């Protein structure tokens, strides 16, 4: 007996972890039913496996005429009918052997919510269930893997205190009739657009291709064009009022200005040199005076040192 706080594992893992075909089928089922992980698929496989083993065992026992086997067969078929896996009447043990994983996954609470139109997708149905927006007979159920019984199918609805219970809530799916009406309107609008006469489009004017100038002569041609434009933009020359003759344009050269600037610069340099000359001479005189004083002070010391050495 295990710990009561931790229930035993209710599924069996695959015998081999890396089977490409099995992994592919499990991935498709996981996307189709909006499952969180593959453990939920393995749980459904365990349920189907258990029902099949019970059916095979009961078939072997009923062949011997065992009365208890008949009672257990009836109980097993009633259980499958209550869970919605099989019809309520007219079923046999062979029908249990034909059950598949999809039959079990379709009875999950998450799948039933999506099939009843309470969510746009299986993933959204799982979100509504976990967030406590869905009830069964007025009782909130927040377990997406809950196996819905046949008697509870019509009792699935939104929680009364949930904001999604409001018909105008944006996350609430629209009824099928409203969706069909919107689709019909979209089709009519598309047909109307197709039937509208096309507006005549004015033909575009073809622009003359630009003349290409070879690279070898392009610079010279551009200079010529610039010179011609500059000549046209020149102002007309002034006329003499007495004679009526056109006077030549005054020569505007930059040479006098440049010479004037050079002369001013030389003058400033000469002035600076004249100001600096006395300062340099004064500094030299002070340096010579300091050297002479230093020699005069050192001379008696040297003579005294010589006399003491003798």
């Amino acid at each position: 007996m295990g710990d009561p706080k931790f229930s035993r594992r209710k599924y069996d893992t695959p015998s081999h972890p890396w089977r490409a075909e099995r992994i592919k089928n499990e991935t498709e089922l996981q996307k189709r039913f909006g499952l969180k992980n593959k453990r939920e698929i393995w749980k459904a496989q365990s349920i189907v496996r258990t029902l099949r083993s019970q059916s095979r065992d009961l078939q072997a026992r009923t062949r011997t005429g065992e009365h208890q086997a008949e009672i257990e067969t009836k109980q097993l078929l009633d259980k499958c009918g209550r869970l919605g896996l099989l019809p309520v009447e007219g079923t046999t043990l062979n029908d249990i052997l034909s059950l598949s994983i999809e039959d079990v996954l379709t009875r999950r609470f998450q799948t039933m919510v999506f099939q009843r139109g309470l969510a746009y997708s299986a993933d959204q149905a799982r979100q509504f269930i976990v967030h406590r927006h869905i009830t069964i007979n007025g009782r909130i159920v927040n377990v997406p893997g809950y196996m819905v019984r046949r008697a509870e199918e019509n009792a699935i609805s939104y929680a009364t205190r949930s904001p999604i219970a409001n018909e105008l809530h944006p996350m609430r799916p629209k009824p099928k009739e409203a969706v069909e009406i919107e689709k019909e309107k979209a089709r009519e609008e598309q047909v109307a657009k197709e039937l509208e006469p096309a507006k005549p489009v004015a033909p575009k004017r073809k622009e003359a291709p630009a003349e290409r100038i070879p690279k070898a002569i392009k610079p010279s041609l551009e200079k010529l064009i610039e010179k011609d434009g500059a000549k046209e933009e020149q102002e007309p020359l002034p006329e003499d009022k007495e004679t009526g003759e056109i006077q030549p344009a005054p020569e505007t050269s930059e040479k006098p200005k440049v010479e004037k600037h050079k002369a001013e610069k030389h003058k400033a340099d000469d002035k600076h040199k004249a100001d600096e000359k006395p300062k340099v001479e004064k500094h030299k005189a002070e340096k010579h005076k300091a050297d002479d004083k230093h020699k005069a002070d050192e001379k008696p010391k040297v003579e005294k040192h010589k006399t003491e050495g003798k």
Side-chain angles (χ1 to χ4, degrees):
M1 182 176 175
D3 193 329
K5 291 183 180 180
F6 304 100
S7 58
R8 292 182 180 180
R9 191 175 64 184
K10 298 179 181 180
Y11 62 90
D12 293 330
T13 57
S15 58
H16 195 283
W18 308 112
R19 299 286 185 192
E21 187 176 356
R22 178 187 59 79
I23 292 171
K24 184 179 179 182
N25 294 334
E26 289 178 351
T27 305
E28 290 177 357
L29 289 173
Q30 187 176 357
K31 290 180 180 178
R32 178 182 167 189
F33 292 97
L35 305 177
K36 182 181 178 182
N37 48 44
K38 294 182 180 180
R39 284 196 297 270
E40 297 177 346
I41 298 174
W42 299 337
K43 288 179 183 178
Q45 287 176 345
S46 299
I47 293 170
V48 173
R49 193 182 299 114
T50 303
L51 293 174
R52 285 178 179 174
S53 64
Q54 290 178 359
S55 176
R56 286 192 296 268
D57 183 39
L58 290 172
Q59 281 180 347
R61 290 167 61 188
T62 52
R63 291 193 188 98
T64 61
E66 186 180 345
H67 181 65
Q68 183 63 27
E70 294 178 0
I71 296 172
E72 293 179 6
T73 300
K74 186 180 178 181
Q75 291 175 351
L76 182 62
L77 294 174
D78 291 343
K79 177 184 177 181
C80 293
R82 288 195 305 271
L83 291 174
L85 298 173
L86 293 175
V88 179
E89 296 178 357
T91 56
T92 61
L93 293 174
N94 291 328
D95 296 330
I96 296 176
L97 295 175
S98 63
L99 289 175
S100 62
I101 301 171
E102 289 83 351
D103 296 332
V104 177
L105 293 176
T106 51
R107 299 305 304 176
R108 296 177 75 251
F109 187 34
Q110 177 182 354
T111 310
M112 296 298 292
V113 170
F114 171 56
Q115 288 179 350
R116 291 186 62 81
L118 300 179
Y120 282 114
S121 63
D123 294 330
Q124 191 185 40
R126 187 183 189 91
Q127 183 185 25
F128 286 172
I129 293 167
V130 173
H131 291 187
R132 305 170 66 86
H133 293 303
I134 312 295
T135 61
I136 298 176
N137 287 325
R139 178 171 57 90
I140 294 174
V141 180
N142 61 349
V143 181
Y146 172 74
M147 297 294 290
V148 181
R149 295 178 175 83
R150 190 183 296 275
E152 296 173 342
E153 289 181 4
N154 298 326
I156 298 173
S157 62
Y158 292 113
T160 54
R161 295 184 179 181
S162 172
I164 303 176
N166 186 4
E167 294 181 357
L168 301 178
H169 195 278
M171 295 298 292
R172 180 167 176 166
K174 297 179 182 178
K176 292 182 179 180
E177 296 178 358
V179 173
E180 290 177 359
I181 291 169
E182 288 183 358
K183 287 182 179 179
E184 288 179 1
K185 286 182 180 179
R187 290 194 203 106
E188 290 176 359
E189 290 178 358
Q190 188 175 1
V191 171
K193 287 181 180 180
E194 292 176 356
L195 295 175
E196 283 182 1
K199 295 181 180 180
V201 181
K204 294 182 180 180
R205 294 180 180 177
K206 293 183 179 180
E207 297 180 357
E211 295 181 0
R212 295 183 180 179
I213 302 171
K215 291 184 179 179
I217 61 172
K218 188 174 180 180
S220 60
L221 287 175
E222 288 180 353
K223 289 180 181 178
L224 292 172
I225 291 166
E226 289 177 0
K227 287 181 181 179
D228 294 340
K231 288 180 181 178
E232 291 177 358
E233 292 177 0
Q234 285 181 357
E235 295 181 357
L237 297 174
E239 296 182 358
D240 193 355
K241 295 181 179 179
E242 296 179 356
T243 60
E245 295 179 357
I246 297 173
Q247 297 180 358
E251 294 182 359
T252 55
S253 60
E254 296 292 331
K255 194 173 181 180
K257 293 181 181 179
V258 174
E259 291 178 355
K260 184 178 179 183
H261 180 70
K262 286 182 179 179
E264 290 176 356
K265 189 176 180 182
H266 286 303
K267 189 176 180 181
D269 293 340
D270 295 339
K271 187 177 180 182
H272 180 70
K273 288 178 181 178
D275 294 340
E276 290 292 328
K277 191 173 181 179
K279 293 180 181 178
V280 172
E281 291 178 354
K282 185 179 179 182
H283 180 70
K284 286 181 179 180
E286 289 177 354
K287 189 176 181 183
H288 286 300
K289 189 175 180 181
D291 292 341
D292 295 339
K293 187 178 179 182
H294 180 70
K295 288 178 182 180
D297 294 340
E298 290 291 329
K299 191 174 182 179
K301 293 180 181 179
V302 173
E303 291 177 354
K304 185 179 179 182
H305 183 68
K306 287 180 179 180
T307 53
E308 287 178 357
K310 290 178 181 182

